[in-house]
Amino acid sequence: DAGVIQSPRHEVTEMGQEVTLRCKPISGHNSLFWYRQTMMRGLELLIYFNNNVPIDDSGMPEDRFSAKMPNASFSTLKIQPSEPRDSAVYFCASSLGGAVDTQYFGPGTRLTVL
Amino acid sequence: RKEVEQDPGPFNVPEGATVAFNCTYSNSASQSFFWYRQDCRKEPKLLMSVYSSGNEDGRFTAQLNRASQYISLLIRDSKLSDSATYLCVVKSSNDYKLSFGAGTTVTVRA
């Protein structure tokens, strides 16, 4: 079975540009998570969707970040405008849901904002 | 205080050695515990869940001490392929959020 799919795997952009990261969760999973990982802060949860509905976006750094999940098989994380401090690895993860469940991570998108 | 704290290491051990490390968590209501493994420039992957009675998975043994709020991971007969960062992960029963430690780096040398 395919795991979580993310694209692009690498993104290099200039400050001020819009960046869109994409994620396809594992089929049948109803929970989706976007994380950001940096050396300084480790893994941080940005936003959590359940059944395509955003449940908790308290980890989204600021209004420049937005996320959508238009259907059960696709989600986007958008940064507009991007800043150098947004440089990080962005992971998408999905899970079946429930009290005790495993989150499966995608390969991540390595974002560099110049 | 961070929710999950880990000794960052690195732990440098020879092949065949035993290495063990802990993590502590601050939320006494935490109910689920995991160890994830993350290889360099890769995504985190579940290594094993940690059960109250302790559990083994091959060369890996995980222990939970609720009274002292710590979790441990022991790796026996270390292999070169065990070199990775091990993330301690904690989850409350009524919460979907996973709290990740910063990771403990293990390097196994030939």
Side-chain angles (χ1 to χ4, degrees), chain A residues 70-88:
Chain A
N71 57 61
S73 59
F74 184 65
S75 177
T76 59
L77 177 68
K78 186 177 292 187
I79 309 172
Q80 166 64 17
S82 58
E83 297 183 2
R85 61 193 167 120
D86 302 330
S87 298

Side-chain angles (χ1 to χ4, degrees), chain A residues 32-43:
Chain A
L32 184 139
F33 307 82
W34 281 101
Y35 290 89
R36 178 172 68 177
Q37 187 175 38
T38 61
M39 289 293 291
M40 292 296 294
R41 301 173 68 92
L43 261 171

Side-chain angles (χ1 to χ4, degrees), chain A residues 4-25:
Chain A
V4 176
I5 299 171
Q6 290 187 246
S7 65
R9 295 292 303 276
H10 301 272
E11 177 80 30
V12 179
T13 191
E14 293 187 347
M15 183 174 65
Q17 297 297 306
E18 177 180 296
V19 174
T20 299
L21 311 181
R22 297 173 177 79
C23 174
K24 177 179 168 55

Side-chain angles (χ1 to χ4, degrees), chain B residues 43-98:
Chain B
E43 72 273 22
K45 292 184 179 179
L46 179 66
L47 176 67
M48 59 194 301
S49 301
V50 185
Y51 303 120
S52 296
S53 56
N55 48 296
E56 281 189 15
D57 183 359
R59 298 180 293 105
F60 296 82
T61 300
Q63 295 282 350
L64 168 63
N65 185 316
R66 286 187 184 273
S68 301
Q69 295 183 204
Y70 77 82
I71 308 148
S72 65
L73 182 66
L74 182 146
I75 308 173
R76 288 186 304 277
D77 188 22
S78 300
K79 311 291 184 190
L80 294 176
S81 57
D82 295 334
S83 298
T85 296
Y86 292 85
L87 303 171
C88 178
V89 185
V90 173
K91 182 175 181 287
S92 297
S93 61
N94 59 350
D95 196 351
Y96 50 84
K97 286 184 180 178
L98 295 182

Side-chain angles (χ1 to χ4, degrees), chain A residues 1-5 26-27:
Chain A
D1 287 341
V4 176
I5 299 171
I26 294 172
S27 177

